[in-house]
Amino acid sequence: MATRTAIGAWLHHAADSDIWWSFKSSATTVIAALVTLLIVAMAFLAPAIAPHTPFDPGTLSLSDGLKPPVLLSPDGDWSFPLGTDDQGRDVLSSIMYGTRLSLIVGFASVAVAMVLGIGLGLVSGYFGGTIDAVIMRIADVQLTFPAILVALLIDGLVRGLISSERHDEIATFVIIGAIGLSFWVQYARTVRGSVLVEKNKEYVQAARVIGLSPVVIMVRHVLPNVTGPVLVIATINLGLAIITEATLSFLGVGLPSTQPSLGTLIRLGNELLQSGEWWITVFPGITLAILVLAVNLLGDWMRDALNPKLR
C-alpha cells in the first residue's frame, strides 16, 4: 500500500512538473517520442512480429530473390511488402532485426561512454592536481581526432591482435567498446566542470567533516547534482552512436553480414543499387534517418527542458 501511494505521489509530482508541461506543449517533441517508441518497439519485438526470420538459412529461397515492393510494382508479393534482397531475405524483417542490433549497439556504447566519462570526470574534478591534469590532457588529445577515426583505430587494433574469425564472433562487443571509448570525453569534461562547482558547497564540506570517504561523497552526494547535463549528452550521443555504427558497418569494418545492423543492410543493398534494386538500401536508409532524427529532436528538447534559464 505504501509503495502504491509513493508511486501515485511520484506520478502526481511528475504531471505537475515543468518538464512534463514542456514535453506535452511541444508537438514536435511528442511526435519524435512516439516515433522513437514505435521504432524501438518494432525492433525489440521483431522475433514476435516480423513476417519472416531473414537470417535463418533454412527459411530462405533464392526463387524469392529481388522481389520489388508490393505497392510499387505489380510483380510484388504481399508476403514481402518491402521486397526482398538477392538472397530472398524479406527487407521489412531485415530492417526490424537490423534496427534492434543498431539500438543495442547505440545504447550499450553510450552506457560504456557514460560509465567511463562520469567516473573519470568525478575523479578529475574532485581530486584535482596531477590526476586532473593527466586526465584532461588525455581528453584534449582525443578531442583532436574525430570519433569515427578513434573507433576505426580501436577496431583496427583488435583486428590486428586476433583472427578474423574470432573478430566476427565478438564484433558486437568490439564495436560497442570502440564507440564507447570515442565518446567518453564529453561526459568527463562536463562532469568535471560541475564537480569543480559542487565540491566547494556546504553539503560536500559537511560530508567531509562527518568522515565520509571520497568515493561515497562523489557517488552519493555530488553525482546526483550533475546528472542533468549528462542525460542531455547521452540522449544526443545515442543518435551519434547509431550513426557511427552505421558508418563503420557501411565501410565494412563494423558488424559482419551475419549480424546485420542498419549500416550493414545499407552496405549490402548498395552493391545492387546500380542494377535497379534500390529498395534494398533505400528502406534501411530511411529507417536510420528517421530514427536518428527523432532521437536528436528528443535530445534538443531535453537540453532546453533541463536548462533552468529557459524555464
Side-chain angles (χ1 to χ4, degrees):
M1 185 66 180
T3 302
R4 185 179 303 175
T5 303
I7 294 175
W10 180 85
L11 291 175
H12 178 73
H13 176 74
D16 289 338
S17 66
D18 292 338
I19 293 177
W20 173 248
W21 181 88
S22 173
F23 174 80
K24 69 181 182 180
S25 62
S26 173
T28 301
T29 304
V30 172
I31 293 173
L34 291 176
V35 170
T36 303
L37 288 175
L38 177 63
I39 294 177
V40 171
M42 175 194 72
F44 287 98
L45 294 176
I49 65 176
H52 304 273
T53 306
F55 305 106
D56 180 5
T59 64
L60 301 180
S61 174
L62 291 177
S63 61
D64 293 325
L66 300 179
K67 288 184 179 292
V70 68
L71 295 180
L72 300 178
S73 174
D75 298 328
D77 187 339
W78 280 104
S79 298
F80 310 102
L82 297 184
T84 61
D85 63 7
D86 57 333
Q87 301 297 316
R89 289 184 289 245
D90 177 41
V91 172
L92 176 60
S93 301
S94 300
I95 290 174
M96 290 182 177
Y97 280 88
T99 302
R100 181 176 64 167
L101 191 52
S102 292
L103 286 170
I104 289 174
V105 171
F107 281 117
S109 59
V110 168
V112 170
M114 286 180 65
V115 171
L116 180 60
I118 291 173
L120 292 176
L122 285 172
V123 171
S124 178
Y126 189 84
F127 292 104
T130 303
I131 296 177
D132 179 33
V134 171
I135 294 176
M136 287 300 101
R137 295 300 77 74
I138 294 174
D140 291 340
V141 171
Q142 183 163 328
L143 282 175
T144 62
F145 300 95
I148 187 70
L149 291 183
V150 177
L152 281 170
L153 174 62
I154 296 172
D155 182 75
L157 289 174
V158 174
R159 288 176 182 271
L161 295 174
I162 62 178
S163 65
S164 59
E165 293 80 8
R166 179 58 179 165
H167 180 274
D168 288 345
E169 294 176 359
I170 62 173
T172 302
F173 301 101
V174 172
I175 202 68
I176 288 172
I179 297 174
L181 289 173
S182 65
F183 283 165
W184 69 271
V185 175
Q186 288 179 289
Y187 299 95
R189 291 174 69 90
T190 301
V191 171
R192 172 186 176 271
S194 299
V195 171
L196 289 175
V197 176
E198 296 294 327
K199 74 176 184 178
N200 294 318
K201 292 185 176 180
E202 289 80 2
Y203 73 92
V204 176
Q205 300 296 334
R208 289 172 177 165
V209 168
I210 64 176
L212 294 181
S213 68
V215 174
V216 173
I217 294 174
M218 286 188 292
V219 175
R220 184 181 298 176
H221 299 284
V222 178
L223 181 58
N225 292 297
V226 301
T227 54
V230 169
L231 290 177
V232 174
I233 296 174
T235 305
I236 296 175
N237 272 0
L238 176 60
L240 292 175
I242 293 173
I243 284 290
T244 302
E245 181 278 321
T247 303
L248 293 173
S249 296
F250 181 80
L251 295 174
V253 296
L255 299 178
S257 57
T258 55
Q259 299 175 320
S261 65
L262 290 175
T264 307
L265 293 175
I266 294 171
R267 175 175 62 83
L268 295 175
N270 189 61
E271 298 173 358
L272 299 172
L273 188 61
Q274 299 299 324
S275 59
E277 286 78 24
W278 53 268
W279 59 87
I280 304 174
T281 191
V282 168
F283 288 129
I286 292 174
T287 304
L288 177 64
I290 292 174
L291 173 61
V292 173
L293 176 61
V295 171
N296 285 342
L297 289 174
L298 287 177
D300 289 340
W301 162 78
M302 185 175 293
R303 179 191 59 202
D304 296 339
L306 295 179
N307 187 348
K309 296 181 180 179
L310 298 179
R311 293 182 186 174

